[in-house]
Amino acid sequence: MTSTRYTRALLASLLVFLVPPAATAQSSEIANPNPAVESRLKGLAHELRCLVCQNQTIADSDAPLAVDLRKQIRGMIAAGKTDDDIRAYMVERYGNFVLYKPPFSASTALLWAGPFVLLLIGVIVMVRLLRRRAPVAAAKASPSRTADLDRLLGDDLPRR
């Protein structure tokens, strides 16, 4: 009984001491950032998609891959690479998907034109359905029925 209590206490203390450093490891990527490098990194990081999250830029993501990509970009900036060189490297390595705004090309044409094509198809279908509907004809009353209605309503209503 005391050995299980001792084991539980040991595991709990290990968790208390090991989890916080792992949780804060990504938050402090760099100790003394260079403002010029960080400015370029921020601009590039907002243009590149996190490959793990897929709906966030690598600037917004805390995924380990995003942290690694930011470190890699920081290193490429320090090595003197231009923004276009860094973008080209990322596209070569991960494909156009890594770009948050991929260029218009044959492989991305459906991505760019798809929403407009679907909207056009929806409008065409709606117009065709509305045209197929039979117009509601005005009901014509027989002359005897019209006379009965006139007698009931009086001559207050204009005749058609």
Side-chain angles (χ1 to χ4, degrees), residues 2 13 45 60 63 77 80 85 111-112 125 141:
T2 57
S13 62
D60 299 329
I77 291 171
D85 292 340
L111 174 70
W112 285 102
V125 167

Side-chain angles (χ1 to χ4, degrees), residues 24-40:
T24 61
Q26 292 180 2
S27 64
S28 59
E29 288 180 47
I30 187 163
N32 298 316
N34 179 345
V37 170
E38 292 303 309
S39 171
R40 279 186 60 200

Side-chain angles (χ1 to χ4, degrees), residues 80-149:
K81 300 281 185 181
T82 66
D83 291 358
D84 290 334
D85 292 340
I86 295 170
R87 272 188 223 98
Y89 171 78
M90 292 294 176
V91 168
E92 180 183 322
R93 185 161 184 189
Y94 300 107
N96 278 332
F97 181 74
V98 77
L99 297 175
Y100 221 67
K101 295 180 182 174
F104 188 81
S105 65
S107 62
T108 61
L110 185 60
L111 174 70
W112 285 102
F116 300 110
V117 170
L118 288 176
L119 180 65
L120 181 65
I121 290 170
V123 168
I124 291 170
V125 167
M126 189 171 163
V127 167
R128 289 182 130 196
L129 286 175
L130 289 176
R131 284 187 179 173
R132 281 187 189 172
R133 281 178 45 181
V136 178
K140 299 221 175 186
S142 66
S144 64
R145 181 75 176 146
T146 305
D148 289 340
L149 291 173

Side-chain angles (χ1 to χ4, degrees), residues 141-159:
S142 66
S144 64
R145 181 75 176 146
T146 305
D148 289 340
L149 291 173
D150 283 343
R151 188 175 34 84
L152 288 172
L153 296 173
D155 288 329
D156 295 339
L157 298 175
R159 296 192 116 204

